[in-house]
């Protein structure tokens, strides 16, 4: 797939007619395809290996598991019966076809900024796809969050509907980047920390968040915590390939974003996103003193192959046995030669320079998936789901993670143990303090109600008793 | 699972073929259990055992050495296991553990040629198979897709100048490997002597495929791929387990219990400590490779009405061209084996003598070269220089031949006993005149190759056939129950619910590595059996 239309020149788009005579034009459908790619719809609405956009993927949230719906044009199980107005209302207002409130896992907080024309182009594209008959499993929400009207309260706190307007005083490239990053790409869904109510903390916009256990790092232009030392070219390279040699490799959800979406965007759009990121307010994270990719050194021991320990392998021993054939005994990686991929060095890798071990541990457990291009980096999984007969247990993963972070990354980062690896492995979106708060509140209200009821009953009983007393 | 059965199907042997049979059946909702004699272990553990082990000559040596599951060689129990009684000493390299012998191989994944299936009717020698290439073709294709085979769709693999051949219903799922400098040099030499070097299809991923990375050129395919880029049986086991197959390691099956109506009633096994087990299934698939499969049948006195169990043992007798070329060729870059010359793989000469297939060994020769120099007493600075000099110029080309099914070549039960008290295999193996008559042609080609590569020094004996791995034929397939062990569906002629999967059913050897044909037969068997149990 090769995107050639320029995405997100909003003024131009607004003037484009949504529909010509006799249904959407191929040009509109093509434009919708590119917009849907930039918005990464497929990431949530597709189960890997199943038909695209047919839904069913489970999305873990702090309030329970949501199953993304089928958005193919099947009339019964998909969105084939939706009108333009209904589709617009869903993306702009977070309201479903039957008027129900939609969970904000569907990023209408950002999509609300899309122009009507772009939303309808996306709809035209989706309606051009073959309908797939498939109903997503029911959501599995923690009580009481399955009760959708509660979302009105969430929206009242966290959601401001309204279309995109170019930021005055900024160039066209910046504003195009802003539309791409904010309205379509919804970068801050992952990269911005959340408030108690799981809304975006816009005072710390893009200063880093957590998604599916992975750290979505600070991408403000701060030179220490963020990407202030990355050149425009660096950012474009990373976004288009998921890899910036010597600095970073996109694993986990970011790897998926690159794979489904960013690698298909034209360079000028990626450059616009970079311009937008460069124009954000630099934000420092507490405790950060050096950039994540500024740590680590090669291992000088290039001769010892021993597993180490007295029969029990050490972290370095496991690294030598399971990792060094690609990443090198010294951690400098393997050079690419014609016909064979190189493998990235680990020295200076930003996941290893992070204060927290989360991304290093999760990359070992799940690997870094192939994104479908040739010559791209791919790391197999080393968790229990290893496909290459190379599973490590939680304690062994902790040993390897501690070794690679201490040697090639941030030695001052807090080490992990089997328990913390296990916790990360089972990570399910975490549990929001809000859930506990709501439960506590409900418990309090229930308790008061019981007390009140009991008091009432007792009083009535006493009254009745008095009448019956001889 | 149903009734008093432990599973719908029990598969004996947890290698690549057994795993694919099991997966096929499990995908159709049937319960399947794999009983594997050896243990389960991890790639990284075996890699470390290789790196830190002393004996780097025997690929078996780094794999678990356990008294209850001896290998064909490579350890104190294994070295006492196989007994050779014929003119040829042969230890057909195999290991016993979950994943099986494809933990160490070069991953060549060849289709046989249509003529390989009809040796008797086309060339008047050997036997015809009861089935042909066309019938196996869809299963070849499926096997290539499940494993991620890299190959060239343009090559004439028959070498007969007929365009792309044999016919394929789908292209190779992965593009062919890029050739190393050494392979290009060898290919150039072959073209000078009238041959065309072509790709050898293989299971080293050329880009990420189904959870495994692309080959990084560690040159360590045997004894073990350090990064899992090369397909191995553990990956087929992984697939099988995802499909619901239960894998039971450290379970040595030692007897098939015969019941009423010629059916196999139960499978008897021993744990490492000798504890006995008895399991029942609607059907039993024997997938324990070419030595252990007939050994179990002989121990059980099963499936042997024809007296052909253990007989017709075949392999690929080979001659080696080895020495130092004039120019630097730098073997050792990329995989351990690459490229092949197939002009003599088929053709009228097969009436007179064996087919021949040339292929080049690309193993980094440093250790071998060094050992040889030390034996010559070379030390100090000269040693360093000579290691560099000789390693850069080392050439190793192999000529693989075929032998015909001959009842005299056989495995039977030896007089020794293993740690569980079970008889050990005894092998009688010889090389027939049919194979030996290929010798002069190979000698002439090797002499021409001497000139093309300007060889400065020759190593070893070029005229003595050696027996590599690739055992085949010991439970031969045929239509006639009087002369064969299984029928065209891999079903025992004697027991309606006993099946055999693997190279032991081959009725001809061809000159190509047997694994793909064994897997294709296994997939076909699995699909059929899934509909039957």
């Amino acid at each position: 797939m090769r995107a050639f239309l320029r995405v997100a020149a909003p003024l131009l788009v607004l003037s484009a007619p949504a529909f010509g005579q006799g249904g959407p034009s191929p040009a509109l459908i093509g434009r919708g395809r590119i917009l849907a790619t930039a918005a990464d719809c497929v990431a949530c609405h597709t189960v890997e290996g199943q038909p695209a956009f047919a839904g069913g993927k489970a999305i873990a949230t702090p309030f329970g598991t949501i199953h993304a719906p089928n958005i193919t044009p099947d009339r019964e199980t998909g969105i084939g019966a939706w009108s333009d107005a209904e589709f617009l209302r869903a993306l702009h207002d977070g309201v479903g076809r039957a008027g129900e409130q939609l969970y904000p896992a569907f990023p209408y907080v950002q999509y609300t900024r899309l122009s009507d024309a772009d939303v309808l182009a996306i709809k035209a594209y989706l309606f051009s796809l073959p309908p797939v008959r498939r109903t997503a499993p029911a959501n599995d929400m923690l009580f009481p969050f399955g009760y959708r009207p509660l979302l009105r309260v969430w929206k009242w706190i966290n959601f401001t509907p309204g279309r995109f307007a170019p930021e005055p005083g900024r160039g066209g490239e910046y504003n195009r980047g802003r539309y791409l990053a904010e309205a379509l790409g919804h970068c801050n869904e992952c990269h911005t920390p959340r408030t108690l109510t799981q809304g975006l903390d816009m005072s710390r916009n893009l200063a880093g968040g957590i998604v599916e256990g992975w750290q979505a790092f600070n991408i403000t232009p701060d030179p220490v915590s963020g990407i202030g030392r990355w050149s425009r070219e660096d950012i474009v390279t990373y976004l288009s390939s998921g890899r910036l040699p010597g600095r970073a490799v996109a694993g986990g959800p970011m790897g998926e974003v690159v794979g489904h979406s960013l690698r298909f965007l034209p360079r000028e759009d990626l450059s616009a996103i970079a311009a937008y990121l460069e124009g954000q307010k630099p934000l420092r994270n507490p405790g950060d003193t050096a950039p994540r990719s500024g740590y680590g050194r090669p291992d000088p021991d290039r001769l010892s192959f021993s597993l180490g320990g007295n029969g029990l392998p050490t972290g370095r021993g496991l690294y030598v046995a399971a990792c060094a054939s690609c990443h090198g005994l010294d951690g400098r990686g393997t050079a690419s030669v014609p016909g064979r991929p190189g493998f990235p060095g680990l020295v200076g890798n930003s996941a290893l320079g992070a204060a927290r071990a989360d991304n290093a541990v999760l990359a070992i457990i799940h690997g870094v998936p192939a994104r479908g291009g040739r010559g791209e980096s791919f790391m197999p999984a080393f968790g229990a789901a290893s496909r290459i007969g190379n599973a490590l247990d939680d304690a062994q993963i902790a040993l390897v993670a501690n070794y690679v972070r201490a040697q090639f990354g941030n030695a001052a980062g807090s080490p992990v143990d089997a328990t913390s690896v296990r916790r990360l492995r089972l990570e399910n979106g975490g549990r929001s303090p809000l859930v506990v708060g709501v439960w506590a509140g409900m418990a309090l209200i229930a308790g008061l109600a019981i007390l009140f009821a009991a008091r009432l009953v007792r009083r009535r009983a006493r009254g009745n008793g008095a009448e019956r007393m001889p | 699972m149903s009734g008093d059965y432990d599973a719908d199907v029990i598969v004996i042997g947890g290698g690549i073929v057994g795993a694919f049979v099991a997966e096929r059946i499990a995908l159709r909702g049937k319960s399947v259990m794999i009983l594997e004699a050896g243990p389960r272990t991890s790639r990284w553990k075996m890699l470390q055992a290789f790196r830190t082990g002393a004996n780097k000559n025997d690929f078996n040596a780094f794999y678990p050495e356990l008294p209850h599951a001896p290998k064909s060689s490579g350890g104190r129990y294994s070295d006492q296991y196989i007994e050779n009684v014929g003119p040829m000493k042969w230890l057909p390299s195999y290991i016993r553990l979950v994943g099986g012998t494809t933990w160490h191989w070069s991953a060549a994944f060849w289709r046989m040629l249509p003529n390989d299936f009809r040796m008797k009717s086309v060339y008047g020698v050997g036997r015809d198979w009861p089935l042909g290439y066309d019938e196996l073709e869809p299963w070849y294709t499926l096997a290539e897709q499940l494993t991620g085979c890299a190959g060239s769709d343009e090559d004439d693999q028959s070498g007969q100048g007929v365009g792309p051949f044999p016919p394929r219903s789908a292209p190779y799922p992965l593009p062919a490997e890029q050739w190393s400098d050494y392979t290009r040099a060898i290919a150039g030499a072959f073209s000078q002597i009238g041959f065309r070097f072509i790709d050898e299809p293989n299971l080293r991923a050329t880009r990420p495929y189904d959870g495994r990375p692309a080959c990084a050129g560690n040159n360590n395919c045997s004894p073990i791929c350090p990064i899992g880029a090369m397909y191995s049986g553990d990956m087929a086991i992984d697939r099988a387990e995802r499909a619901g197959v239960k894998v039971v390691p450290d379970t040595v099956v030692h007897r098939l219990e015969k019941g009423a109506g010629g059916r196999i009633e139960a499978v008897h096994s021993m744990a490492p400590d000798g504890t006995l087990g008895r399991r029942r299934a609607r059907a039993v698939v024997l997938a324990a490779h070419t030595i252990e499969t007939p050994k179990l049948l002989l121990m059980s006195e099963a499936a042997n009405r024809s007296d052909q169990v253990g007989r017709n043992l075949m392999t690929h007798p080979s001659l080696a061209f080895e020495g130092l070329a004039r120019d630097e060729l730098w073997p050792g870059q990329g995989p351990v084996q690459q490229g092949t010359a197939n002009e003599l793989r088929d053709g009228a000469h097969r009436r007179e003598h064996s087919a021949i297939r040339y292929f080049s060994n690309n193993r980094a020769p440093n250790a071998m070269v060094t050992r040889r120099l030390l034996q010559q007493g070379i030390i100090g600075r000269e040693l360093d220089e000579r290691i560099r000099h000789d390693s850069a110029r080392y050439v190793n080309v192999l000529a693989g031949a075929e032998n015909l099914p001959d009842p005299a070549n056989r495995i039977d039960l030896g007089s020794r006993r293993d740690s569980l008290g079970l008889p050990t295999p005894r092998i009688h193996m010889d090389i027939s005149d049919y194979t030996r008559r290929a010798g002069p042609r190979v000698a002439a080609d090797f002499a021409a190759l001497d000139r093309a590569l300007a060889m400065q020094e020759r190593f070893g004996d070029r005229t003595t056939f050696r027996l590599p791995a690739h055992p085949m034929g010991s439970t031969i397939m045929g239509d006639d129950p009087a002369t064969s062990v299984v029928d065209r569906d891999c079903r025992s002629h004697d027991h309606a619910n006993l099946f055999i999967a693997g190279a032991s059913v081959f009725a001809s050897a061809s000159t190509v590595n047997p694994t793909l044909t064994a897997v294709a037969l296994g997939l076909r068997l699995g699909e059929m059996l899934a509909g039957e149990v």
Side-chain angles (χ1 to χ4, degrees), chain A residues 305 320 325 387-390, chain B residues 43-44 48 51 238 242 335:
Chain A
F305 278 105
V320 167
S325 295
R387 307 293 303 277
I388 57 163
N390 233 349
Chain B
R43 182 175 301 276
W44 61 270
Q48 280 314 96
R51 284 174 168 167
D238 177 66
R242 282 165 200 266

Side-chain angles (χ1 to χ4, degrees), chain A residues 88-356:
Chain A
L88 280 163
R89 184 173 65 164
L91 270 78
H92 283 160
D93 303 324
V95 174
R97 184 157 183 250
E100 77 277 23
Q101 300 296 323
L102 298 180
Y103 290 105
F106 175 51
Y108 51 80
V109 171
Q110 285 81 13
Y111 290 164
T112 189
R113 314 192 69 199
L114 292 170
S115 70
D116 288 12
D118 282 359
V119 170
L120 294 177
I122 291 172
K123 177 169 180 277
Y125 165 64
L126 293 174
F127 274 60
S128 75
L129 299 171
V132 178
R133 206 179 165 76
R134 179 192 175 117
T135 305
N139 295 334
D140 184 15
M141 304 302 288
L142 296 172
F143 180 79
F145 302 100
Y147 183 63
R148 286 177 183 261
L150 283 179
L151 285 163
R152 285 177 189 280
V153 181
W154 186 91
K155 281 179 165 179
W156 181 67
I157 303 170
N158 295 305
F159 176 47
T160 315
R163 301 302 90 77
F164 177 84
E167 204 174 313
R170 298 275 203 170
E173 187 182 33
Y174 173 91
N175 274 310
R176 197 160 109 229
R178 184 160 159 246
Y179 188 74
L180 276 159
E182 290 187 352
L184 279 166
H186 55 282
C187 306
N188 56 8
E189 274 292 308
C190 297
H191 285 281
T192 297
R194 291 188 177 270
T195 61
L196 177 68
T197 59
Q198 292 295 303
L200 296 175
D201 177 3
M202 293 308 286
S203 72
R204 304 278 304 157
N205 192 27
L206 304 178
I210 300 274
V211 55
E212 294 166 29
W214 295 76
Q215 280 188 277
F217 288 125
N218 184 326
I219 52 171
T220 72
D222 184 76
V224 171
S225 294
I227 54 173
R229 291 173 203 236
W230 293 30
S231 70
R232 175 81 58 97
E233 194 52 39
D234 286 346
I235 299 173
V236 170
T237 301
Y238 180 79
L239 294 178
S240 62
S241 67
R243 184 167 163 182
L244 184 61
R247 279 219 169 101
V249 174
M254 187 63 193
E256 290 176 25
V257 173
V258 172
H260 295 140
S261 171
L262 294 172
R263 72 188 169 109
F264 298 114
L265 297 194
R267 270 190 80 78
E268 60 217 64
D269 283 339
L270 297 179
S271 188
I273 292 174
Y276 161 78
L277 292 174
E278 286 165 2
Q280 297 308 297
K281 186 176 155 200
L283 295 169
R284 179 77 46 96
N285 299 115
D288 284 0
T289 53
R292 288 186 303 281
S293 50
Y295 293 97
R297 61 193 163 79
D299 191 331
D301 180 2
R302 297 198 60 189
L303 292 174
S304 163
F305 278 105
S306 158
L307 271 179
N310 298 317
L312 287 176
T314 61
R316 182 183 187 274
L318 286 165
Y319 174 81
V320 167
C323 320
S325 295
C326 290
H327 291 299
L329 270 180
D330 56 3
R332 284 198 231 241
T334 320
S336 166
V337 297
R340 300 193 186 286
F343 291 96
L346 296 180
V347 179
N349 179 298
S350 84
L352 304 184
R356 293 169 61 149

Side-chain angles (χ1 to χ4, degrees), chain B residues 72-373:
Chain B
S72 62
S73 67
R76 52 187 284 229
Y77 306 107
S78 300
D79 291 339
Q80 297 300 309
Y81 190 53
I82 291 179
E83 194 181 341
N84 278 126
V85 290
M88 297 291 292
K89 180 174 159 54
W90 188 33
L91 301 173
S93 178
Y94 66 92
I95 48 183
R96 288 160 88 188
L97 78 167
V98 174
T101 301
T102 53
W103 273 106
H104 70 41
W105 61 327
S106 306
F109 218 48
W110 283 105
R111 294 176 174 215
M112 289 172 75
L113 299 173
N115 283 349
D116 292 332
F117 295 90
R118 42 190 195 221
M119 291 293 286
K120 186 74 183 173
S121 46
V122 176
Y123 298 120
V125 297
R127 293 191 185 203
D128 283 353
W129 293 51
L131 57 88
Y133 177 86
D134 292 347
E135 206 168 330
L136 213 48
E137 201 285 335
W139 304 103
Y140 274 146
T141 296
L142 178 61
E144 289 165 347
Q145 287 168 349
L146 292 173
T147 53
C149 186
S152 162
D153 297 316
E154 308 303 318
D155 286 338
D156 167 20
Q157 297 179 346
S158 76
Q160 302 306 296
V162 293
F165 197 81
R168 316 175 48 82
S169 57
Y172 281 111
L174 289 177
E177 284 174 330
Q178 184 144 334
W179 282 1
S180 69
D181 294 345
Y182 170 81
T183 302
R184 275 195 285 271
I186 300 296
F190 266 98
S191 72
Q192 282 180 46
I193 69 169
F195 289 87
R196 205 170 87 79
F197 227 53
I198 60 170
D199 273 304
E200 175 168 83
N202 67 75
L203 297 191
R204 296 179 293 267
T206 46
R207 59 173 180 241
Y209 196 90
D210 198 21
R212 70 189 208 269
C215 171
N218 277 284
N219 197 249
N220 211 76
C221 314
S222 290
I224 187 165
C225 176
I227 67 169
M230 182 182 75
Y231 199 88
S232 44
D234 60 298
M235 299 176 194
I237 288 283
D238 177 66
R239 284 187 66 102
E241 289 184 310
R242 282 165 200 266
V245 173
K246 187 176 180 214
V247 177
V248 190
D250 293 309
T251 303
V252 182
V253 175
H254 63 98
R255 188 163 72 88
L256 304 177
E257 178 187 323
K258 291 178 285 188
R263 296 181 72 81
I264 298 300
E265 185 68 25
V267 168
H268 291 260
S269 64
M270 286 187 194
D273 63 3
T275 311
L276 297 175
R278 180 178 183 273
R279 293 180 178 83
R280 299 186 66 235
R282 294 174 197 280
V284 174
V285 177
L286 199 37
H289 205 0
T290 302
I291 306 301
E292 299 297 325
T293 285
K295 191 189 109 174
L296 178 55
L297 291 175
L298 292 170
M299 281 158 57
S300 311
E301 296 177 357
N304 200 16
R305 178 166 33 136
S306 61
D307 186 35
Q308 295 300 301
V309 169
R311 297 184 182 274
N312 307 300
L313 205 50
M314 294 178 282
T315 184
H316 296 135
S318 30
L319 296 168
F321 173 98
E322 204 181 0
L324 300 180
R326 183 189 59 207
D327 301 325
E328 295 184 357
L329 305 176
W330 294 109
Q333 178 205 353
V336 298
Q337 184 176 303
Q338 205 175 35
T340 177
N342 285 7
E343 277 78 355
L344 301 175
R345 184 187 169 190
D346 198 15
H349 59 274
R350 287 176 100 179
R351 290 184 174 282
E352 306 303 324
H353 67 75
S354 150
I356 303 160
R357 189 174 65 85
Y358 294 112
F359 55 99
S360 79
N361 184 346
N362 183 41
R363 283 179 71 80
N366 315 43
M368 189 279 298
V369 158
T370 306
R371 195 178 315 115
R372 188 169 164 276
L373 292 169

